Amino acid sequence: MADVTSLQDAARRKARRDRADRQQQARGRTLCGRGFHKWQIDKARQFDVRRGRLVTLHRCARCGASKTTLE
């Protein structure tokens, strides 16, 4: 015979699954959205010279945004 489950238990399990799905969808985007990027030096275009100064290209590992810095 099948086990009897209450509606409250089923609702709790569904809420847990939904929360896990939302967390998985937002993973990696919430930090970048608030300005906390994970900058890494882009090895393909590591150095460029602009006006006699060294320029390095950085890319975010999570969202792909880019920035340049003078060194």
Side-chain angles (χ1 to χ4, degrees), residues 17-50:
R17 261 192 327 268
D18 290 345
R19 184 173 55 243
D21 289 344
R22 285 193 307 272
Q23 285 176 346
Q24 186 63 30
Q25 287 176 345
R27 188 172 304 267
R29 286 190 280 171
T30 56
L31 288 172
C32 293
R34 292 184 174 98
F36 296 99
H37 293 278
K38 186 176 182 181
W39 297 114
Q40 294 178 342
I41 295 175
D42 188 9
K43 299 292 184 181
R45 291 186 49 207
Q46 191 169 5
F47 297 109
D48 188 16
V49 176
R50 191 179 296 168

Side-chain angles (χ1 to χ4, degrees), residues 8-9 11 16-17 26-27 36 49 51 55 69:
Q8 291 175 344
D9 289 340
R16 219 177 296 137
R17 261 192 327 268
R27 188 172 304 267
F36 296 99
V49 176
R51 291 187 191 172
V55 177
T69 56

Side-chain angles (χ1 to χ4, degrees), residues 39 42 45-48 50 54-59 65-71:
W39 297 114
D42 188 9
R45 291 186 49 207
Q46 191 169 5
F47 297 109
D48 188 16
R50 191 179 296 168
L54 195 59
V55 177
T56 305
L57 180 68
H58 297 272
R59 284 210 186 274
S66 63
K67 73 173 183 177
T68 56
T69 56
L70 294 174
E71 296 179 12

